[in-house]
């Protein structure tokens, strides 16, 4: 049913656009290629002397390496395929593999792109555009995004989000420097996390869906080139196995880019409907309650090249503050404790040394303080990141 | 769910009425436009990546990937490609030593600055982009030697420079320096 309607959409997209357009390939004076291999990789050393896991055991300092190739195929002027695969060293030295995305772009016309497959959701900035390590100016993720490289003791509002479905992206030229960017997507949607997490929400795209319902979302952004971009994102979809409980999230992002500095930030909130039981006078009452998580971060970066001293040209300073909170009060199910307890604030200080436009050596220090007062951590990072 | 079955094709139908056809043309004004689009967009998420990192063929595959990320129009993406390609034109580069250009009329500094799209990335007399620093008075401030070195190898003082290594002759460089000294 679900695949049906997606394939209907894709088929009609192809049909509608194939007829009226022919390609001007023969007039081209540009060299057209077919395959390009790009991607990124990193090696990180993380010192986290006072970090404890959930059982209170010390977590060892670790060295981590990742290799993430991107394969880009140009099938024709209108159709591109892209895929990204992540290879990393896991906890026990084994190699972990993960399909980050595999999708097809269909360039419908001058300002519309249809993407089908597994893709990074255009939700906020970090997840879709900033998380590759040569792009992310810090060696860790903003506090609101868990996962992907480890988030220490802090639990994010969500992880980097990818999913399977279809996205329609548009660019509207508002004249001069003004642009309107829109993305709207239908994807298979979040699912209920298995195991002890109880009502946890999971985003990893998997084969098939747990419930027969989609999630919808989109981002609308206004850009004033080259300096400003402000975006608003929304996402909603049922996540429980019975399809009764809903998950929704919003995000407001802004970016400012100057010649020597940049500032970016995101505000992020999510609401998961959760079921619970409460015992009142010996009777069990069931209830559904919203469980909210909120957070934000702001990050500034400054290039010392502004000072005009040749030896400072490759140096960049980074400062980031993140804060997360939740309305967990113990009244829902116990399993949320793990998620909800780990909210707090985090400061990251970094010095980057650029070796190439896409190769950087990052030195970082980070302190996290959790609202519940326990399990705070201080981490030191040394990371070599490169895009190729 | 039924809604999507109807909705998506409808969206597609509406959008397709606004279509324009992609064109592949390459000329000097397209290169200058490409430099501007590059400067305004390619440093928004990550350090701008200079042209010489990829071959023309590779750029033709990478640019559509970035067209999607950066929300460029097809025309803008094409202009960026034309700009990147123009700096990778090896036939121009190989003419530098051979002197085959000698019989040609030397282009003026102003023409070269326009042709290479310097103002896509730099302000000159208040006009131009902001990816690179302002160039007015640059020769007076930093000296001829410095500007000559920068034009010959933009990475000489900054390994992360986005500035392309332009295919230009010694006479071209001198003409640009003279123009920037005014």
């Amino acid at each position: 049913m679900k695949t049906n309607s997606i394939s209907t959409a894709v088929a009609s997209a192809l049909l509608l656009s194939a007829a009226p357009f022919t390609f001007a390939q023969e007039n081209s004076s540009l060299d057209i290629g077919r395959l390009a291999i790009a991607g990124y990789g990193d090696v990180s050393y993380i010192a986290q002397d006072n970090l404890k896991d959930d059982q209170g055991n010390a977590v060892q300092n670790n060295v981590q390496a990742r290799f993430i190739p991107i394969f880009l195929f140009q099938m024709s002027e209108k159709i591109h395929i892209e895929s990204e695969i992540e290879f990393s060293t896991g906890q026990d030295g084994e190699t972990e593999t993960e399909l980050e995305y595999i999708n097809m772009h269909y360039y419908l016309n001058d300002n519309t792109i249809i993407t089908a497959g597994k893709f990074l959701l255009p939700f906020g900035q970090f997840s879709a555009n900033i998380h590759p390590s040569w792009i992310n100016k810090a060696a860790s993720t903003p506090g609101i995004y868990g996962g992907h490289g480890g988030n220490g003791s802090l639990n994010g509002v969500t992880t980097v989000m990818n999913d399977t479905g279809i996205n329609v992206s548009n660019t509207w030229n508002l004249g001069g420097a003004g642009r309107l960017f829109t993305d709207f997507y239908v994807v298979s949607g979040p699912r209920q996390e298995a195991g002890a997490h109880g009502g946890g929400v999971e985003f990893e795209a998997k084969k098939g869906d747990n419930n027969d319902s989609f999630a919808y979302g989109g981002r609308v952004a206004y850009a004033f080139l080259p300096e400003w971009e402000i975006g608003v994102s929304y996402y909603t979809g049922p996540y429980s196995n019975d399809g009764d409980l809903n998950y929704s999230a919003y995000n407001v992002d802004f970016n400012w880019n100057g010649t020597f500095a940049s500032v970016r930030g995101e505000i992020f909130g999510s609401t998961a409907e959760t079921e619970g039981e409460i015992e009142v006078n010996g009777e069990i009452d069931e209830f559904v309650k919203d469980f909210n998580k909120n957070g934000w971060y702001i990050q500034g970066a400054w290039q010392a090249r502004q000072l005009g001293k040749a030896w400072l040209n490759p140096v960049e300073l980074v400062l980031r503050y993140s804060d997360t909170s939740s309305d967990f009060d113990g009244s829902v199910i116990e399993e949320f404790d793990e998620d909800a307890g780990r909210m707090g604030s985090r400061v990251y200080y970094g010095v980057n040394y650029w070796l190439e436009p896409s190769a950087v050596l990052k030195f970082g220090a980070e302190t996290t303080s959790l609202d519940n007062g326990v399990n705070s951590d201080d981490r030191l990072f040394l990371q070599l990141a490169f895009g190729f | 769910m039924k809604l999507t079955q109807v909705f998506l094709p409808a969206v597609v139908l509406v959008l397709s009425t606004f279509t324009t056809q992609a064109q592949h043309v390459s000329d000097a004004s397209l290169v200058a436009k490409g430099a501007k689009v590059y400067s305004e967009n390619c440093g928004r998420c990550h350090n701008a990546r200079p042209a010489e990192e990829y071959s023309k063929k590779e750029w033709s595959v990478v640019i559509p990937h970035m067209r999607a990320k950066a929300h460029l129009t097809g025309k803008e993406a094409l202009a960026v490609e034309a700009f990147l390609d123009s700096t990778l034109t090896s036939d121009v580069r190989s003419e530098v030593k051979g002197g085959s250009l000698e019989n040609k009329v030397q282009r003026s500094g102003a023409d070269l600055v326009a042709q290479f799209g310097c103002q896509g990335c730099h302000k000159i007399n208040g006009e131009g982009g902001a990816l690179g620093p302002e160039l007015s008075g640059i020769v007076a401030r930093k000296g001829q030697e410095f500007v000559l070195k920068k034009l010959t190898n933009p990475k000489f003082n900054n390994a992360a420079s986005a500035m392309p290594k332009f295919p230009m002759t010694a006479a071209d460089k001198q003409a640009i320096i003279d123009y920037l000294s005014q």
Side-chain angles (χ1 to χ4, degrees):
Chain A
M1 196 57 162
K2 181 167 201 172
T3 32
N4 253 350
S5 70
I6 291 183
S7 47
T8 316
V10 174
S12 45
L14 293 174
L15 248 157
L16 280 165
S17 49
F21 317 115
T22 41
F23 312 131
Q25 196 108 326
E26 58 288 8
N27 302 337
S28 172
S29 59
L30 300 168
D31 283 333
I32 305 295
R34 179 169 164 77
L35 168 68
I37 296 177
Y40 65 100
D42 51 53
V43 182
S44 318
Y45 173 75
I46 308 171
Q48 40 197 9
D49 289 335
N50 57 359
L51 182 65
K52 302 266 195 300
D53 68 14
D54 294 328
Q55 282 77 43
N57 305 316
V59 175
Q60 280 179 348
N61 295 344
N62 68 49
V63 182
Q64 206 182 42
R66 297 190 302 163
F67 170 61
I68 302 148
I70 300 174
F71 303 92
L72 302 166
F73 298 92
Q74 179 157 239
M75 312 268 298
S76 76
E77 217 170 330
K78 293 233 150 191
I79 298 180
H80 279 241
I81 308 258
E82 56 183 48
S83 93
E84 185 178 286
I85 299 166
E86 173 169 337
F87 298 96
S88 60
T89 48
Q91 291 281 306
D92 304 313
E94 78 285 13
T95 301
E96 290 176 358
T97 316
E98 192 183 326
L99 179 65
E100 196 89 331
Y101 56 74
I102 164 76
N103 59 61
M104 184 193 88
H105 287 315
Y106 183 76
Y107 299 92
L108 181 65
N109 59 42
D110 196 45
N111 58 350
T112 307
I113 304 173
I114 296 170
T115 303
K118 182 179 180 185
F119 53 88
L120 294 166
L121 299 188
F123 182 93
Q125 277 282 354
F126 184 81
S127 181
N129 297 328
I130 314 293
H131 79 266
S133 49
W134 65 274
I135 300 179
N136 182 3
K137 292 180 184 298
S140 66
T141 56
I144 57 176
Y145 289 95
H148 241 265
N151 209 22
S153 60
L154 201 65
N155 239 323
V157 177
T158 185
T159 57
V160 166
M161 298 190 289
N162 52 24
D163 206 345
T164 310
I166 185 161
N167 181 69
V168 178
S169 155
N170 265 286
T171 300
W172 313 93
N173 193 333
L174 305 179
R179 299 281 187 284
L180 192 67
F181 304 145
T182 61
D183 284 277
F184 296 102
Y185 52 86
V186 183
V187 290
S188 100
R191 52 180 55 238
Q192 194 151 15
E193 217 164 26
H197 274 277
V201 180
E202 200 181 41
F203 283 96
E204 281 299 300
K206 290 192 182 144
K207 217 170 111 193
D209 191 22
N210 63 329
N211 49 35
D212 195 21
S213 51
F214 295 109
Y216 301 84
R219 177 172 180 269
V220 175
Y222 175 75
F224 195 79
L225 300 176
E227 290 190 324
W228 284 99
E229 181 176 344
I230 294 168
V232 179
S233 311
Y234 187 73
Y235 175 96
T236 184
Y239 76 94
S240 61
N241 294 333
D242 57 13
D244 283 350
L245 300 176
N246 198 67
Y247 176 85
S248 65
Y250 72 89
N251 182 305
V252 180
D253 64 80
F254 81 92
N255 281 282
W256 175 84
N257 280 300
T259 304
F260 301 107
S262 67
V263 181
R264 57 171 100 249
E266 290 177 40
I267 303 169
F268 196 156
S270 74
T271 302
E273 287 175 352
T274 55
E275 309 180 285
E277 290 178 349
I278 193 168
E279 210 186 294
V280 189
N281 302 331
E283 283 192 27
I284 308 268
D285 243 7
E286 286 192 5
F287 64 89
V288 173
K289 181 177 159 147
D290 284 350
F291 172 53
N292 298 310
K293 290 201 251 181
N294 298 293
W296 58 276
Y297 79 87
I298 184 162
Q299 171 186 299
W302 174 72
Q303 293 167 335
R305 159 170 90 76
Q306 184 165 20
L307 301 178
K309 300 248 184 306
W311 65 278
L312 282 174
N313 281 345
V315 178
E316 181 180 56
L317 304 183
V318 183
L319 184 64
R320 184 168 67 201
Y321 182 85
S322 318
D323 191 78
T324 59
S325 64
S326 78
D327 63 357
F328 178 71
D329 56 6
S331 74
V332 196
I333 4 178
E334 208 182 326
E335 282 86 353
F336 270 107
D337 216 355
E338 187 185 318
D339 246 17
R342 299 163 146 226
M343 294 286 162
S345 60
R346 162 174 284 179
V347 192
Y348 177 95
Y349 310 87
V351 179
N352 296 339
Y353 191 90
W354 289 91
L355 309 165
E356 281 289 319
S358 59
V360 60
L361 200 55
K362 303 179 203 169
F363 304 89
E366 186 182 82
T367 63
T368 304
S369 56
L370 295 193
D371 296 340
N372 66 10
V374 295
N375 246 1
S376 291
D377 69 77
D378 297 309
R379 297 195 290 177
L380 288 177
F381 300 90
L382 179 59
Q383 182 183 65
L384 173 66
F386 48 90
F388 54 88
Chain B
M1 193 176 337
K2 308 249 165 41
L3 199 70
T4 22
Q5 257 160 328
V6 183
F7 181 67
L8 274 171
V11 168
V12 168
L13 186 72
V14 170
L15 293 173
S16 64
T17 58
F18 293 104
T19 57
T20 46
Q21 190 177 325
Q23 278 170 358
H24 267 175
V25 278
S26 113
D27 57 49
S29 67
L30 190 67
V31 169
K33 182 187 173 211
K36 182 167 184 285
V37 175
Y38 176 98
S39 154
E40 289 183 344
N41 291 280
C42 302
R44 269 163 44 206
C45 298
H46 49 70
N47 282 353
R49 308 270 297 251
E52 58 276 15
E53 286 192 7
Y54 295 93
S55 69
K56 290 183 188 183
K57 280 208 160 87
E58 285 170 324
W59 276 118
S60 80
V61 186
V62 166
I63 288 298
H65 184 208
M66 285 305 118
R67 172 183 167 190
K69 284 272 179 221
H71 284 88
L72 300 184
T73 63
K75 291 200 186 78
E76 286 172 332
L78 206 63
V80 171
E81 217 177 306
F83 160 67
L84 293 166
D85 280 9
S86 76
T87 73
L88 294 172
T89 305
S90 54
D91 43 317
V92 179
R93 234 179 233 172
S94 59
E95 279 174 324
V96 175
K97 292 191 195 84
S100 57
L101 281 180
E102 252 156 46
N103 300 334
K104 286 198 183 159
V105 183
Q106 174 59 42
R107 290 164 295 178
S108 73
D111 282 353
L112 289 163
V113 163
Q115 185 207 321
F116 289 124
C118 310
Q119 272 167 293
C121 300
H122 295 283
K123 274 201 174 61
I124 301 177
N125 301 325
E127 283 283 317
L131 189 66
E134 164 121 35
L135 290 185
S136 321
I138 184 78
V139 181
R141 270 181 286 132
K142 300 210 164 169
Q144 286 215 18
E145 181 91 0
F146 172 85
V147 179
L148 183 63
K149 270 190 181 160
K150 194 75 188 168
L151 291 176
T152 309
N153 176 17
K155 286 193 173 173
F156 93 92
N157 68 338
N158 180 1
S161 180
M163 180 159 144
K165 201 170 181 174
F166 292 100
M168 43 174 92
T169 63
D172 288 347
K173 289 176 203 163
Q174 196 51 51
I176 289 175
I177 290 172
D178 292 345
Y179 172 74
L180 291 174
S181 309
Q182 288 165 18

